[in-house]
Amino acid sequence: MSSAWLLPEHIADVLPHEARRIEELRRILLDAARGYGYELVMPPLLEHLESLLSGTGRALDLRTFKLVDQLSGRTLGVRADTTPQVARIDAHLLNRAGLTRLCYCGPVLHTLPAGPDSTREPLQFGAEIYGHGGLEADLEVHELALECLGRARVESLVMDLADARFVQGALEGVTLSPVQGDALRAALAAKDQAELQALTADLPAMNRDALRLLPSLFGGDEVLELARARLPNNALVTAALDDVQWLATHLRRDYPSLRLGFDLADLSGYAYYSGTRFAIYSAGGTDALVRGGRYDNVGAVFGRRRAAVGFSLDLKSVVEHVRFDGRRAAIRAPWSEDTALRAAVRRLRETGEAVVCVLPGHEHEADEFECDRELVAVNGQWVVCAR
């Protein structure tokens, strides 16, 4: 019989030291999004399964916990990703004619961890623009993602650009079953050449060669030159190359210290992406801190196909790369029944100060807060002094 205090695998409590850093990061990110004009939404943790999964692909289905609603008997899902919910809010509840900028921050739950050290309960922050199909929206999302990491003081960032249309263009004229499509995308995402060779053996030569080339198309500007020379010269591939080049030009102009690269076979994440994609890493890191891109078809299942682009990140992963401690400056005060002292403590708290009262017998314990001042009696009055 297991101990009552043991938690499921890849599920963990967040203790005070880490919790305060995560909360500080959450506030930084939400403030950054608000500075760009994004409105906060709070979707529910669970809803009808078809709302969560329609149009999102098999990967999200496999990550989603399912349960039966005791009230309706219908199958519910615990969200594994918030983007489909925000698309539903935009399409069905807000239903605005023009541009909508939305952000969110809340837990999601995964049936399996993304990696050996990953949590199954990420704290997902994201920001999304609905209603604009131009690259201006894609660039704004890139800028906000970089702003969020910059405010969190995550340094030495590397951004990879990609586009879902490279695979679509390489498959032009070919019809695959959903199972075949999933297997092919998994092989491309893993850059598994052996599996890719087997999956493409029966395809026409042009499609086969393009798909087998894609995993090698990662690196610097030479990648785009090689892609223009060797990928199929069709509308999807050409548009993807032009869009990625446009974004790269603007990012290099505005962020000269950003290391920018290209990974044309990057299909990590969920299957709803329809256009430009990006991932941001810390220097030397192998797991992306941020993933995002364009997903114009996500709202279609809710009756309103809208241009959409956004990004998301896991605060629990990002906080490992931040340097701030998250401790809040506070005032240390003695505990007493003295009415003047108690009134002084209340007034300070009303002004937004943190006042930590030292309970009797605990005068020599360490402060979890950064108590850089103390409340002391001076000439019959309680005064805040530096410690």
Side-chain angles (χ1 to χ4, degrees), residues 30 32-41 86-87 89-90 94 96-104 126-132 134-141 143-144 295 306-311:
L30 288 174
R34 183 169 57 183
Y36 277 65
Y38 287 72
E39 301 173 273
L40 180 64
V41 292
V86 179
I89 289 172
D90 170 73
L94 296 178
R96 295 171 180 169
L99 202 68
T100 302
R101 291 180 173 92
L102 301 174
C103 66
Y104 56 86
E128 310 185 2
I129 302 178
Y130 292 87
H132 186 73
L135 289 174
E136 298 86 358
D138 300 64
L139 184 60
E140 180 179 303
V141 163
E143 291 171 345
L144 176 55
Y295 32 84
R306 289 257 278 171
V309 60
F311 73 88

Side-chain angles (χ1 to χ4, degrees), residues 30-227:
L30 288 174
D31 285 347
R34 183 169 57 183
Y36 277 65
Y38 287 72
E39 301 173 273
L40 180 64
V41 292
M42 297 180 179
L45 188 58
L46 76 166
E47 56 179 280
H48 295 130
L49 187 62
E50 57 268 27
S51 297
L52 291 175
L53 298 184
S54 297
T56 58
R58 185 168 178 266
L60 189 57
D61 185 8
L62 293 175
R63 278 197 171 186
T64 301
F65 276 98
K66 287 94 171 176
L67 63 155
V68 176
D69 184 4
Q70 297 298 306
L71 293 179
S72 67
R74 296 179 62 180
T75 302
L76 304 180
V78 181
R79 68 175 178 225
D81 179 44
T82 314
T83 290
Q85 296 182 295
V86 179
R88 174 181 55 77
I89 289 172
D90 170 73
H92 184 64
L93 298 179
L94 296 178
N95 198 28
R96 295 171 180 169
L99 202 68
T100 302
R101 291 180 173 92
L102 301 174
C103 66
Y104 56 86
C105 188
V108 296
L109 193 62
H110 295 164
T111 53
L112 295 171
D117 298 321
S118 300
T119 177
R120 289 197 289 165
E121 190 189 14
L123 183 56
Q124 190 179 57
F125 167 84
E128 310 185 2
I129 302 178
Y130 292 87
H132 186 73
L135 289 174
E136 298 86 358
D138 300 64
L139 184 60
E140 180 179 303
V141 163
H142 294 171
E143 291 171 345
L144 176 55
L146 292 168
E147 174 88 5
C148 286
L149 295 177
R151 290 196 187 191
R153 290 181 277 172
V154 182
E155 300 175 349
S156 302
L157 298 178
V158 180
M159 178 185 281
D160 280 348
L161 296 178
D163 198 301
R165 291 170 293 179
F166 289 122
V167 176
Q168 297 166 14
L171 284 169
E172 189 173 57
V174 173
T175 301
L176 298 177
S177 70
V179 173
Q180 289 174 315
D182 288 341
L184 181 61
R185 287 175 175 81
L188 286 167
K191 293 182 169 50
D192 186 340
Q193 285 286 5
E195 180 69 7
L196 200 55
Q197 295 273 345
L199 292 170
T200 58
D202 297 329
L203 297 184
M206 182 180 69
N207 306 100
R208 181 182 64 240
D209 293 345
L211 290 167
R212 291 177 179 180
L213 175 65
L214 277 174
S216 66
L217 295 178
F218 64 93
D221 289 342
E222 72 281 357
V223 167
L224 299 187
E225 296 173 8
L226 184 59

